[in-house]
């Protein structure tokens, strides 16, 4: 199954070894079918959850730089599925076709948070 994601990557400014740095991204996006219907959401974990309650939590096992500038990386994730709905049995998730979402360039101020719009395609494999 392939779904589009529309949303944001959320970055927070945290303490790093040499001073403040941007944290890893936390996604907040809608999962949308080709007909435009929203059927789920994608959020921190990384987790994908369908409206029927089925869910997949992923662990990154591979990544590649996105071909588009300033886009988040393409990822291959091993999935751990729960529930008996749409996402049941998912073993792998592929994030591809990313647009935007990369962390802001430059320095940040401690406590600062930014929400960077992004789009991606997520393919779920059983």
């Amino acid at each position: 199954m392939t779904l589009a994601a529309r949303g944001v990557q959320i970055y927070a400014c945290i303490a790093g070894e040499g001073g403040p740095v941007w944290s890893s991204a936390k996604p907040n996006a809608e999962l949308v079918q080709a007909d435009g219907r929203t059927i789920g959401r994608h959020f921190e974990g990384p987790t994908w959850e369908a409206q029927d309650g089925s869910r997949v939590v992923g662990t990154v096992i591979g990544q590649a730089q996105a071909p588009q500038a300033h886009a988040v990386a393409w990822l291959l994730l091993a999935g751990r599925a729960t529930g008996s709905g749409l996402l049941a049995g998912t073993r792998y998730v592929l994030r591809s076709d990313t647009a935007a979402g990369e962390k802001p360039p430059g320095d940040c101020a401690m406590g600062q948070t930014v929400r960077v719009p992004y789009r991606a395609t997520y393919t779920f494999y059983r």
Side-chain angles (χ1 to χ4, degrees):
M1 174 177 53
T2 299
L3 301 171
R6 299 185 299 229
V8 294
Q9 295 283 335
I10 303 166
Y11 296 92
C13 189
I14 60 173
E17 287 184 23
V21 295
W22 290 112
S23 65
S24 298
K26 295 178 182 176
N28 183 7
E30 294 182 331
L31 297 174
V32 181
Q33 288 182 318
D35 65 5
R37 283 187 314 143
T38 298
I39 62 160
R41 64 191 186 115
H42 174 41
F43 54 96
E44 185 177 7
T47 303
W48 298 265
E49 183 177 60
Q51 290 173 342
D52 62 18
S54 61
R55 148 186 304 211
V56 177
V57 177
T59 302
V60 176
I61 56 175
Q63 69 177 11
Q65 184 174 344
Q68 189 178 73
H70 309 294
V72 290
W74 291 22
L75 301 175
L76 178 61
L77 303 102
R80 189 177 71 251
T82 58
S84 59
L86 191 62
L87 298 175
T90 298
R91 296 183 59 207
Y92 297 97
V93 180
L94 175 66
R95 177 173 79 183
S96 61
D97 306 322
T98 56
E102 194 173 65
K103 68 182 172 186
D107 296 331
C108 60
M110 287 298 295
Q112 180 182 5
T113 301
V114 294
R115 299 168 66 86
V116 181
Y118 92 108
R119 288 179 288 123
T121 299
Y122 289 99
T123 305
F124 300 85
Y125 296 91
R126 292 193 173 134

